[in-house]
């Protein structure tokens, strides 16, 4: 690679020449100054080649100097701090930074995958679609190759060690962009007393105007723009109602002026004790978009060679960072602005061998100024070819109005500056529905002030000012931002001549060398091919060709691409329209989006009153809803299966205790509470006697089973509804929905008291003896029969005792205020010692209920199962005129007897059938998939029966008792017999003791 | 992210404080409904490109349900009112008509 140190001797308004720093690029040490970007320092060290293109691996250098950069992408940082796809043009250089080039193998200079470039004729637009639609075998052959050779930087594989913060802000006016237009708007609103935020994405204020004035000597109120900016900042900083922020990117504008912004806090000091980035969620009365404009490339053969750059970028590098992409720069333009680049280049001692102006008679003051300095200006001329491969070596001159085949002359040069005109940065305006209008004279889409994005009040919530509004000239720019605009002196400019392809009559061969989208390797010829193949909508053409995709989202390519598409379709540009502008403006890392919601605080953890005891006992935890519950209590070196077996047998043989505090508990109270519960539950709850409990089912209006649980009638007008652990909040919300929105005249109140009570299930043949050992209320068979409850002192606790069972054994659930939960738990353990009481976890609970044939919401149900499928017809009231789900159950397919229904399943060999097993049936369905006749819903090893037991939904299952069917899981077959789902104590004798 | 004002507690809430509940002013079809009526109640939604009446619950606030009338394209909010009603308030209907003379009405 040619290496020339191109740091200029003078200038560089943003760099601190007094200080030296170094960073690494592909292992080489690169000297830099504070204030450099990676791109400016690399150019300063002679490294124009900074990346490889996505598809063809063509060598690429930076084409821009800011956020719009498509080519110069690097991976920054190592291992866990690695971040891919960062633009060198916006990444600040810092001492010790490590950057690596991407999408090349083995290296950036010698990339063997560049063979793709030679094959480019075989990889036109739609290559991926055409390849992958050809069939599965092609996919197998091509996919690994394409995955390796096409792409951006690799994702990091280790957890990010940095912290990220999220913050909120509210303002009357948020101004996006800290150029002269943004600062003028800030003065306007700040002086008026509004709460103003000004966000600038770069570390510097002033934007383009301060750079351009170096060329054209423009003044604001008689001051150089740099001095005017300084004065404006001084005034704004003194206003307490104005907040100024640099390094803060406004990424997206959303509904009702909700702005997302990313602030870089410590990107250049990795490891510092600061959040690396801060993601802001801002709410504004109004958003003023002063985001400037983006220069467009020109489409000419070889326009992607390293060293071909936007004219404004060349100007920025010279003025801001004192670096130049070359010592001899040819300029190709269709407007006057590029002449500013010639002027700053000449001032910096850089040669301009020629300016090729696509217009026939350019003659504005800027043109004249350049001509006066003896520069050769060639109107109506263009570039037929860029000479050189990894670095520009010269250009072949031709007439613009030609096929580009006749070379008039070779002009040696080492860089080309191009300008195809400017496009206002309308992204934020468009994110939330602001419309655009095509300005034929200026050749750009500008915000249509009559069709702004609206706020909640129906009024405009965004406004564009300055270049973002299409006011490119400095005087118009400031006038658009401020009512009392300052006096501006700036040279006049002649109109742009829109040119979308040059040379104008270039044939297919040259059009295949004209890049539109540098990042995605989309050329003029690809868009024309897409149009020929029928992709006439701009959105379709985008997806077919990948124009405007990936990290730069077509900031440079979109307007040129849709102009080419319009030409191919022979329609005006506004008829083609733009693709949708979507947030974020530039990529945001996942770290900032996740913020602090990671690891232990990803979501809240709910703990019961006995949580610490479970922890002490070495419980293995299971997340249920946002709670954690003991899954089992394994002893030292005891496998979980052994612990579960021990816990199940403790309940069956003596007594066990379970922390049931997480079960949902909802109080429903009021004169109409019974009537209300009759609508919510499928069974009759209004007739439940005070002191009694009833197992109830809830269906959605669609008829599907939602939740279940035991309901206790506490008093004449009060019911307590138990729900599943995960369902408590949702069921409470469901009840409130119906109460507030349908039966709002019913006198009913609900309260979710789940966390107010700690609840302990004591189950097993010795359960009553444990309670009696505590002493207190009568819990005898006569005083407290199955499915009833009582309240009173128990071992000194103020307790409510429900005689209910989810295990099939004699069972009590004891509820006390949460503050008493741990004390009750300890007393029960103490009192149970004589009976060798054991705590049991959720898995033993599951096994116990499955042995008994009790269903579990979420196992036997999945949102498509109705109570009738589970043999729960007994819980569907026939007396009630109405309940939620009743009408749905009358639908023909739900009333049909021909459904998959719950049965027990016993493997013939006694093994545990895999939970994912499916029972195939003969034949195929309409999608040519194998027919099925059943599936497993729960499957366990039963310690009680010493064999595998399962429940499942089987086609017409209850009518097929004793039949053997084959289940299939992961290719293995298990034959199972259809049996009753109640494996244990079918007569319920154990319960009623 | 929308901002809506809860008519019960007066708080102007971020969308993250609210739970959506779909189209408002549906008429429940009970056990006597025909299949067509029940299907329409359960599944058919107007989803207009224009003025929508939506149920929202101030779930992380006062817990109350309300109805918002807003424009599905421009996001303009015409008003909010408690859900305990079978039809939008007359003054709100007037407000919408004034803003959109061609509005076809809420039914």
């Amino acid at each position: 690679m040619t290496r020339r140190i191109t740091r200029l001797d003078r200038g560089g308004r943003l760099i601190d020449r007094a200080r030296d720093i170094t960073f690494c690029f592909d292992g080489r040490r690169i000297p830099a100054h504070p204030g450099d970007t990676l791109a400016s320092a690399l150019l300063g060290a002679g490294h124009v080649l900074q990346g490889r293109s996505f598809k063809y691996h063509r060598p690429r250098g930076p084409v821009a100097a800011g956020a719009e950069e498509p080519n110069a992408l690097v991976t920054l940082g190592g291992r866990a701090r690695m971040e891919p796809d960062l633009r060198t043009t916006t990444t600040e250089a810092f001492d010790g930074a490590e950057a690596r080039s991407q999408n090349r193998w083995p290296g950036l200079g010698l990339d063997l995958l560049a063979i793709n470039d030679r094959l480019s004729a075989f990889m036109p637009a739609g290559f991926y679609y055409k390849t992958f639609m050809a069939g599965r075998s092609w996919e197998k052959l091509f996919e690994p190759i394409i995955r390796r050779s096409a792409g951006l930087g690799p994702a990091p594989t280790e957890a990010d060690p940095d912290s990220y913060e999220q913050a909120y802000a509210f303002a009357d006016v948020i101004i996006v962009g800290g150029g002269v237009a943004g600062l003028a708007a800030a003065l306007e609103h700040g002086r008026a007393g509004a709460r103003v935020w000004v966000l600038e994405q770069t570390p510097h204020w002033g934007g383009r105007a301060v750079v351009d004035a170096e060329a054209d000597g423009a003044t604001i109120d008689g001051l150089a723009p740099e001095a005017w900016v300084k004065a404006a900042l001084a005034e704004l900083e003194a206003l307490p109602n104005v907040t100024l922020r640099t390094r803060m990117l406004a990424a997206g504008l959303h509904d009702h002026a909700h702005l997302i912004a990313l602030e870089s806090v410590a990107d250049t000091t990795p490891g510092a004790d600061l959040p690396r980035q801060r993601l802001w969620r801002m709410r504004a009365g109004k958003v003023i978009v002063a985001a400037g404009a983006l220069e467009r490339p020109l489409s000419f053969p070889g326009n992607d060679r390293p060293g071909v750059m936007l004219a404004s970028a060349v100007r920025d590098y010279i003025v801001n960072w004192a670096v130049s992409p070359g010592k001899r720069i040819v300029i190709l333009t269709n407007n006057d602005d590029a002449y500013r680049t010639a002027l700053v280049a000449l001032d910096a001692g850089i040669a301009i061998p020629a300016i090729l102006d696509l217009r026939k008679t350019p003659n504005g003051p800027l043109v004249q100024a350049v001509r006066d300095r003896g520069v050769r200006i060639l109107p109506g001329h263009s570039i037929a070819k860029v000479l050189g491969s990894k670095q520009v070596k010269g250009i072949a001159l031709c007439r613009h109005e030609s096929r580009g085949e006749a070379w008039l002359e070779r002009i040696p040069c080492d860089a080309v500056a191009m300008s195809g005109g400017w496009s206002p940065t309308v992204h934020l305006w468009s994110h939330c529905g602001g419309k655009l209008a095509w300005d034929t004279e200026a050749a750009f889409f500008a915000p249509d002030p009559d069709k702004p994005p609206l706020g909640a009040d129906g009024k405009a919530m965004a406004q564009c000012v300055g270049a973002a509004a299409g006011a490119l000239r400095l005087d118009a720019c400031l006038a658009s931002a401020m009512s009392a605009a300052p006096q501006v002196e700036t040279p006049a400019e002649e109109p742009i001549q829109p040119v979308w392809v040059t040379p104008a009559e270039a044939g297919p061969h040259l059009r295949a060398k004209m890049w539109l989208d540098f990042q995605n390797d989309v050329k003029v010829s690809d868009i024309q091919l897409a149009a020929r193949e029928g992709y006439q909508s701009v959105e379709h053409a985008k997806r077919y060709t990948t124009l405007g995709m990936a990290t730069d989202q077509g900031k440079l390519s979109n307007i040129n691409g849709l102009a080419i598409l319009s030409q191919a379709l022979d329609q005006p540009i506004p008829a083609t329209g733009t693709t949708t502008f979507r947030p974020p403006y530039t990529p945001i890392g996942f770290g900032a989006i996740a913020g602090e919601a990671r690891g232990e605080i990803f979501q809240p953890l709910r703990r019961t009153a006995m949580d610490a005891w479970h922890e002490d006992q070495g419980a293995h935890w299971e997340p249920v809803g946002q709670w954690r519950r003991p899954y089992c209590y394994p002893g030292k070196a005891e496998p979980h299966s052994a612990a579960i077996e021990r816990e199940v047998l403790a309940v069956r043989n003596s007594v066990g205790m379970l922390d049931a505090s997480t079960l949902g508990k909802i109080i429903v109270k009021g004169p109409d509470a019974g009537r209300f519960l009759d609508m919510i539950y499928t069974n009759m709850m209004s007739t439940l006697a005070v002191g009694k409990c009833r197992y109830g089912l809830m269906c959605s209006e669609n008829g599907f089973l939602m939740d279940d649980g035991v309901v206790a009638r506490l008093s004449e007008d009060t019911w307590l509804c138990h729900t599943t652990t995960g369902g408590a909040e949702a069921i409470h919300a469901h009840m409130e929905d119906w109460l507030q929105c349908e039966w709002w005249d019913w006198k009913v109140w609900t309260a979710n008291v789940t966390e107010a009570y700690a609840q302990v299930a004591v189950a097993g043949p010795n359960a009553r003896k444990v309670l009696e050992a505590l002493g207190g209320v009568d819990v005898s068979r006569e005083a407290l029969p199955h499915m009833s409850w009582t309240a009173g002192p128990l071992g000194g606790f103020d307790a409510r005792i429900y005689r209910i069972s989810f295990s099939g054994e004699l069972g009590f659930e004891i509820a006390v205020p949460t503050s008493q939960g741990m004390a009750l738990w300890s007393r029960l353990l103490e009192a149970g010692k004589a009976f060798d009481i054991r705590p049991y976890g959720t898995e033993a609970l599951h096994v116990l209920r499955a042995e008994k044939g009790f269903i579990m919401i979420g196992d036997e149900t999945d949102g498509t199962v109705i109570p009738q499928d589970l043999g729960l017809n007994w819980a569907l009231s026939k007396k009630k005129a109405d309940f939620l789900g009743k009408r749905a159950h009358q639908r023909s397919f739900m009333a049909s007897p021909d459904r998959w229904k719950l049965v027990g399943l016993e493997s013939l060999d006694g093994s545990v059938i895999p939970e994912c097993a499916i029972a195939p049936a003969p034949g195929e369905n309409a999608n040519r998939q194998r027919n099925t006749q059943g599936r497993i819903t729960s499957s366990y090893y039963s310690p009680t029966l010493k064999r595998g037991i399962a429940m499942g939904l089987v086609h017409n299952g209850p009518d097929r008792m004793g039949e053997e069917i084959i289940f299939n899981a992961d290719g293995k077959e298990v034959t199972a017999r259809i049996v009753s789902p109640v494996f244990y104590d079918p007569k319920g004798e154990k319960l009623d003791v | 992210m929308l901002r809506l004002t809860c008519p019960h507690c007066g708080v102007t809430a971020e969308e993250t404080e609210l739970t959506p509940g779909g189209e408002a002013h549906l008429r429940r079809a009970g056990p006597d409904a025909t299949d067509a009526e029940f299907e329409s109640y359960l599944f058919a939604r107007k989803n207009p490109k224009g003025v929508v009446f939506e149920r929202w619950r101030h779930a992380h606030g006062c817990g109350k349900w309300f109805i918002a009338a807003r424009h599905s394209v421009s996001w303009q909010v015409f008003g909010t009112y408690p859900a305990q009603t079978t039809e939008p308030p007359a003054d709100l209907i007037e407000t919408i008509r004034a803003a959109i003379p061609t509005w076809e009405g809420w039914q």
Side-chain angles (χ1 to χ4, degrees):
Chain A
M1 192 192 318
T2 332
R3 275 218 240 149
R4 291 148 303 174
I5 303 302
T6 56
R7 184 76 73 175
L8 305 168
D9 299 333
R10 289 177 294 114
R13 54 182 282 272
L14 300 183
I15 55 168
D16 177 4
R17 285 186 191 257
R19 289 166 57 206
D20 292 319
I21 55 175
T22 52
F23 65 91
C24 259
F25 177 66
D26 281 346
R28 293 197 188 91
R29 290 166 62 81
I30 308 293
H33 298 295
D36 261 324
T37 63
L38 296 184
S40 67
L42 284 167
L43 286 172
H47 291 277
V48 177
L49 179 61
Q50 294 179 16
R52 288 272 173 178
S53 68
F54 188 95
K55 192 167 159 188
Y56 302 138
H57 291 257
R58 286 172 67 91
R60 292 285 168 77
V63 66
E68 68 272 36
E69 173 58 34
N71 287 335
L73 304 182
V74 293
T75 298
L76 195 68
R79 300 179 66 88
R81 283 211 165 81
M82 180 174 111
E83 184 167 4
D85 306 329
L86 292 173
R87 297 166 300 278
T88 59
T89 54
T90 57
T91 304
E92 291 177 63
F94 60 93
D95 214 19
E98 281 178 51
R100 286 185 307 285
S101 57
Q102 303 181 159
N103 199 32
R104 79 288 185 271
W105 184 83
L108 190 58
L110 174 70
D111 179 1
L112 297 178
L113 299 172
I115 186 74
N116 283 8
D117 192 25
R118 299 291 166 102
L119 301 174
S120 64
F122 305 103
M123 298 168 76
F127 166 74
Y128 298 124
Y129 288 165
K130 286 166 182 165
T131 304
F132 289 129
M133 292 306 281
R136 295 194 68 86
S137 56
W138 283 100
E139 200 173 306
K140 273 183 191 158
L141 179 64
F142 269 110
E143 191 175 318
I145 299 171
I146 288 171
R147 285 225 181 276
R148 182 176 173 100
S149 73
L152 297 165
T157 53
E158 293 178 33
D160 189 339
D162 289 321
S163 68
Y164 298 83
E165 213 170 66
Q166 296 193 345
Y168 296 80
F170 299 84
D172 298 317
V173 181
I174 298 174
I175 297 163
V176 177
V180 292
L183 295 175
L187 289 172
E188 172 95 0
H189 292 279
R191 286 170 184 167
R195 285 179 304 165
V196 177
W197 280 66
V198 191
L199 315 183
E200 166 55 41
Q201 63 179 349
T202 74
H204 312 284
W205 300 100
R208 285 229 63 76
V210 293
V211 174
D212 290 355
E214 295 286 321
D216 62 21
T219 58
I220 306 172
D221 274 345
L223 297 172
E226 183 119 40
W228 183 87
V229 166
K230 207 174 163 190
L233 284 171
E235 181 179 346
L236 291 168
E237 276 163 8
L239 289 174
N241 51 318
V242 175
T243 306
L244 299 166
R245 281 279 204 280
T246 54
R247 297 186 174 93
M248 189 151 159
L249 164 84
L253 179 57
H254 303 263
D255 324 357
H256 295 174
H258 186 236
L259 188 85
I260 299 290
L262 182 71
E263 184 181 12
S264 167
V265 180
D267 276 320
T268 59
T269 52
D273 190 21
L274 284 170
R276 185 178 158 221
Q277 294 168 346
R278 192 176 287 134
L279 191 73
W280 289 84
R281 301 175 192 197
M282 312 181 83
R283 193 66 84 159
K286 186 160 88 170
V287 173
I288 295 182
V289 180
L294 296 173
E295 195 171 20
R296 295 192 296 253
L298 282 165
S299 300
F300 60 92
N303 62 347
D304 72 323
R305 287 295 175 206
V308 179
M309 270 189 204
L310 294 171
S312 60
V314 172
R315 195 150 84 227
D316 287 343
Y317 285 118
I318 293 170
V319 174
N320 287 337
W321 295 288
V323 294
S324 170
K327 292 190 163 64
R328 289 172 59 82
I329 305 175
V330 166
I331 295 175
L332 179 67
T333 183
N334 64 349
N335 62 76
D336 279 3
D337 183 58
Y339 288 82
R340 290 191 172 92
T341 300
L343 290 167
V344 299
L346 293 169
D347 287 345
I350 296 159
I352 304 292
I355 296 183
L356 320 182
D357 197 318
L358 299 167
R359 299 172 296 182
K360 290 204 173 78
T361 53
N363 211 16
L366 286 166
V367 179
Q368 201 52 50
V370 174
R371 195 175 277 138
D372 289 347
R373 294 178 70 164
V375 174
R376 184 184 178 204
I377 296 172
L378 297 166
H381 282 71
S382 185
I383 294 176
K385 183 175 184 174
V386 174
L387 309 169
S389 65
K390 286 176 200 160
Q391 168 70 47
V392 174
K393 293 204 165 72
I395 60 110
L397 184 73
C398 69
R399 295 229 165 251
H400 169 53
E401 301 286 346
S402 79
R403 296 173 59 81
E405 287 159 3
W407 292 10
L408 304 176
E409 148 184 9
R410 288 175 190 236
I411 302 178
C413 63
D414 49 12
V416 176
M418 60 179 165
S419 178
W422 291 78
S423 295
T425 309
V426 297
H427 299 66
L428 290 173
W429 170 269
S430 300
H431 281 169
C432 212
K435 299 290 182 225
L436 304 176
W438 178 254
D439 183 329
T440 308
E441 194 174 327
F444 55 54
F445 278 105
D448 182 345
D450 295 333
K451 293 175 183 170
L454 301 184
D457 57 2
K459 297 187 182 123
M461 59 119 160
Q463 177 195 354
C464 289
V465 300
L472 296 182
R473 275 173 51 98
L474 187 57
D475 45 0
C477 168
L478 285 165
S480 74
M482 223 173 168
S483 47
Q487 280 293 316
V488 170
E489 295 293 333
T490 186
E493 290 177 43
E494 288 189 329
I496 182 176
Q497 177 188 325
V499 170
W500 308 113
V501 168
T502 183
E505 293 147 30
H509 177 67
L510 290 188
R511 291 202 303 263
K513 296 290 177 199
M514 298 177 184
W515 262 257
L516 284 170
D517 185 323
F518 298 91
Q519 187 167 97
N520 296 301
D521 278 329
V522 181
K523 298 157 294 175
V524 168
S525 55
D526 294 314
I527 295 291
Q528 290 168 334
L529 175 68
R532 281 203 303 281
E533 293 191 349
Y535 293 90
Q536 304 196 346
S537 149
V538 62
E539 297 284 5
H540 292 161
K542 167 181 173 172
R543 280 149 188 83
Y544 190 59
T545 61
T546 70
L547 177 86
M549 293 193 179
T551 66
D552 67 332
Q553 287 287 295
K555 289 186 183 65
L556 296 183
S557 62
N558 275 349
I559 302 298
N560 287 348
L562 63 93
I564 301 291
L565 184 64
S566 303
Q567 280 183 345
L569 298 172
D570 197 21
Q571 65 187 19
I573 287 171
T576 305
T578 66
T579 53
T580 308
F581 292 86
R582 290 198 177 82
Y585 177 65
T586 54
I588 292 178
F590 280 117
I593 294 169
E596 283 153 9
R598 49 191 278 188
E600 282 186 0
I601 56 170
F602 175 67
Q603 60 175 5
L605 179 65
R606 301 172 77 183
R607 304 164 188 260
T608 71
M610 295 78 106
D611 183 89
W613 187 90
H614 303 317
E615 177 97 65
D616 276 353
Q617 295 298 306
H620 177 74
W621 297 104
E622 176 181 37
V624 188
Q626 285 167 336
W627 297 93
R628 62 174 191 178
R629 302 190 70 184
Y631 172 86
C632 64
Y633 299 85
K636 271 190 185 148
E638 185 184 32
H640 289 179
S641 57
I644 294 157
E645 178 161 358
R646 182 170 51 68
E647 292 168 17
V648 168
L649 293 176
V651 174
R652 291 277 179 248
N653 297 331
S654 180
V655 62
M657 54 193 274
L658 171 89
D659 182 355
S661 307
T662 62
L663 280 183
K665 305 165 204 77
I666 299 169
I667 297 279
V668 179
K669 187 177 179 72
D672 291 315
R675 181 187 180 197
F676 173 65
L677 290 176
D678 280 349
M679 290 302 295
I680 291 288
Y681 284 92
T682 63
N683 22 16
M684 190 82 94
M685 290 299 173
S686 56
T687 57
L688 183 65
V690 174
K692 294 291 180 191
C693 300
R694 182 169 290 163
Y695 173 71
L697 301 178
M698 282 183 215
C699 285
S700 65
E701 189 71 311
N702 212 342
F704 299 118
L705 194 49
M706 287 171 66
D707 208 86
D708 67 351
V710 171
V711 178
R713 188 164 186 177
L714 300 185
S715 72
E716 194 52 41
D717 71 346
T718 313
W719 282 254
L720 174 73
C721 304
H722 285 106
T723 74
T724 56
T725 293
E729 283 71 34
I731 295 301
H732 183 234
H734 170 73
M735 287 180 174
E736 280 297 317
D737 189 350
W738 286 99
L739 266 182
Q740 292 184 34
C741 300
E742 187 69 28
W743 304 305
W744 61 79
D745 51 337
W746 295 10
K747 294 186 174 66
V748 184
W749 291 265
T750 70
N752 183 354
V753 297
T754 301
E755 295 184 351
Y757 295 94
Q759 201 149 312
V760 182
V762 181
N766 289 321
R768 183 179 286 123
K769 291 177 192 158
V770 175
L771 267 64
E772 284 170 349
L774 254 61
V777 291
D778 186 355
V779 294
S780 65
R781 182 184 180 184
E782 296 69 28
L784 188 61
H786 186 53
M787 297 307 275
S788 62
W789 67 272
T790 187
L794 182 75
F797 294 95
D798 183 13
R800 194 183 284 141
I801 304 159
Y802 309 93
R803 170 113 190 255
I804 55 181
S805 172
F806 197 40
S807 62
E809 302 295 337
L810 171 65
F812 300 89
E813 291 201 12
I814 307 160
V816 295
T818 296
S819 59
Q820 302 291 302
M822 189 56 230
L824 172 70
W825 183 266
S826 301
R827 289 290 305 281
L828 286 166
L829 273 174
E830 189 66 29
K833 260 187 189 164
F835 308 99
D836 198 21
I837 195 167
R838 295 281 167 178
Y840 64 99
T842 52
E843 188 61 5
L845 166 91
H846 277 82
V847 174
L848 289 161
R849 67 92 195 168
E851 289 177 343
K852 184 65 184 164
F854 289 146
I855 64 134
M856 178 68 81
I857 297 291
D859 284 343
E860 276 64 45
T861 69
D862 62 0
T864 69
V865 171
I866 58 176
Q868 294 89 331
D869 297 338
L870 303 180
L872 296 170
N873 304 56
W874 59 266
L876 303 173
S877 169
K878 293 196 176 56
K879 290 184 198 148
K880 293 195 292 189
D882 194 4
F883 59 82
L884 296 181
K886 184 178 172 80
R887 177 61 187 83
H889 292 159
Q890 295 165 13
R891 285 180 289 176
S892 59
F893 52 95
M894 285 198 176
S896 164
D898 189 34
R899 291 179 65 89
W900 287 23
K901 293 188 171 177
L902 187 74
V903 291
L905 293 156
E906 276 181 357
S907 55
L908 296 191
D909 59 5
S911 65
V912 178
I913 306 172
E915 275 188 322
C916 57
I918 294 283
E924 288 181 339
N925 66 16
N927 294 328
R928 303 185 61 188
Q929 296 157 328
R930 214 166 162 185
N931 283 328
T932 55
Q933 57 175 326
R935 61 186 165 87
I936 299 293
T937 57
S938 292
S939 185
Y940 303 97
Y941 173 73
S942 164
T944 313
L945 304 172
K946 308 281 182 230
R947 55 163 297 128
I949 59 165
M951 284 192 269
L953 292 162
V954 174
H955 187 215
N956 292 329
D959 303 332
R960 298 164 65 179
M961 285 294 154
E963 193 181 318
E964 288 168 14
I965 59 172
I966 293 169
F967 279 88
N968 198 319
D970 299 332
K972 275 190 276 184
E973 290 191 343
V974 184
T975 306
R977 186 181 294 113
I978 300 175
V979 296
S980 158
V982 187
F983 294 93
Y984 177 74
D985 186 27
K987 291 184 183 155
E989 289 161 342
K990 302 268 182 187
L991 279 174
D992 188 23
V993 290
Chain B
M1 188 160 59
L2 299 173
R3 272 210 306 181
L4 297 172
T5 301
C6 173
H8 297 282
C9 67
V11 166
T12 299
E14 296 273 334
E15 198 175 317
T16 48
E17 272 183 52
L18 308 171
T19 306
E23 186 176 315
H25 301 307
L26 298 176
R27 289 177 71 100
R28 181 168 181 263
D32 299 332
T34 64
D35 274 357
E37 286 164 349
F38 188 66
E39 182 194 11
S40 168
Y41 156 63
L42 214 49
F43 301 115
R45 296 293 179 264
K46 294 195 191 93
N47 195 24
K49 188 175 179 178
V51 183
V52 293
F53 291 83
E54 293 169 327
R55 299 182 331 117
W56 290 90
R57 187 183 185 209
H58 195 188
H60 298 284
C62 69
K64 292 288 200 295
W65 281 95
F66 63 90
I67 295 171
R70 69 174 183 98
H71 198 282
S72 61
V73 179
S74 75
W75 289 305
Q76 178 172 358
V77 178
F78 301 104
T80 57
Y81 52 96
Q84 291 74 43
T85 178
T86 52
E87 57 185 56
D91 59 338
L92 177 61
I93 290 177
E94 269 176 43
T95 304
I96 299 170
R97 268 204 205 294
I100 308 171
T102 57
W103 181 43
E104 72 280 9
W106 69 277
Q107 279 164 318

